[in-house]
Amino acid sequence: MVNDRPDRPDRPDRPVTSEAPVPSARDALAALPGLFAEEGRVRAFAAVALGAGSAARVAAAAGLSVQDATAALRRLREQGVVTSGDDGELVVAHDRFRELAREARSTAPATGDPGAEDDRAGMIVRTFVKDGRLVRLPARWTRKKVVLRHIAERTFVPGAEYPERTVDEKLRAWCDEGDVDHVTLRRHLVDLGHLRRSGGTYWRPARSDRAGTA
């Protein structure tokens, strides 16, 4: 008699699950480069992002064996970047990536001149930025400039060009559950020279004209 139990490992359409707890955002952030250093996992992740909802469909789309696709998906699920949707299909865990982005911003080393001025700037930032999100803008203009400079330095690469839609997406992440909307934040960054704008394209200059400190 053939054993047709539903938990047979050779059934390719069975969702890939893991009993291991999802690591903390800090641990996952550290593991992220290694996670995507293996080509099979990159191809499996791309297949899920393009709509492949099971191990069998991921294998077909990514050009992997079902065994390799299953192993890749298991690692992706362990790190929380792939999960099951409401219908049981595999999906990219976008909330997890937003969590990792906030963790990256909150743990990034502060930049600026060493000494008392840098310590003061760091204290101001920690007061108004919590867990990678802008709680509110300071009322005092000198402190507001410190916070805005921090956001610009953590968000935009000097010299890189960004369409307005991308700028808004990046700034929305800072405004999540805060008192400031991304449009106001973008306007302040442009007014201070942290962002330049021309024809719908934005870029961060190597050095802001009116950056200010505290």
Side-chain angles (χ1 to χ4, degrees):
M1 180 176 179
V2 177
N3 183 359
D4 196 24
R5 291 168 54 194
D7 58 347
R8 285 175 53 189
D10 58 341
R11 295 190 62 178
D13 285 326
R14 178 176 172 79
V16 182
T17 59
S18 173
E19 297 298 329
V22 174
S24 68
R26 178 168 298 183
D27 291 341
L29 190 63
L32 204 59
L35 179 67
F36 288 106
E38 200 276 314
E39 182 182 354
R41 290 195 287 266
V42 175
R43 290 162 67 177
F45 181 83
V48 174
L50 292 173
S54 70
R57 295 202 293 274
V58 168
L64 301 170
S65 69
V66 173
Q67 182 179 2
D68 288 343
T70 299
L73 290 168
R74 182 176 296 111
R75 289 286 291 117
L76 294 168
R77 289 181 68 105
E78 286 172 354
Q79 295 299 320
V81 298
V82 166
T83 188
S84 296
D86 294 338
D87 57 359
E89 295 281 282
L90 295 169
V91 293
V92 172
H94 295 288
D95 287 344
R96 179 63 162 172
F97 282 100
R98 284 189 281 269
E99 180 186 10
L100 296 179
R102 288 195 294 266
E103 177 67 21
R105 288 196 299 267
S106 66
T107 58
T111 60
D113 296 330
E117 181 179 343
D118 190 55
D119 291 340
R120 183 183 180 190
M123 181 178 66
I124 292 171
V125 168
R126 287 190 296 272
T127 300
F128 296 95
V129 176
K130 303 291 187 182
D131 298 325
R133 289 177 291 181
L134 178 63
V135 179
R136 65 184 187 281
L137 281 174
R140 290 178 54 182
W141 182 243
T142 52
R143 295 185 176 184
K144 186 179 296 184
K145 289 191 291 184
V146 173
V147 173
L148 291 168
R149 183 181 66 181
H150 172 84
I151 291 174
E153 291 174 348
R154 296 300 184 276
T155 309
F156 303 102
V157 178
E161 295 185 347
Y162 304 88
E164 186 170 287
R165 174 173 54 84
T166 300
V167 173
D168 287 346
E169 288 175 355
K170 288 178 174 291
L171 295 181
R172 280 193 188 98
W174 287 96
C175 300
D176 186 25
E177 300 180 3
D179 294 335
V180 183
D181 63 85
H182 68 280
V183 175
T184 300
L185 189 55
R186 169 162 49 83
R187 184 175 65 249
H188 282 314
L189 292 173
V190 171
D191 289 344
L192 278 176
H194 291 303
L195 285 179
R196 303 278 180 80
R197 176 178 57 195
S198 177
T201 299
Y202 293 75
W203 69 96
R204 178 186 157 211
R207 184 176 181 84
S208 301
D209 293 339
R210 293 171 286 169
T213 53

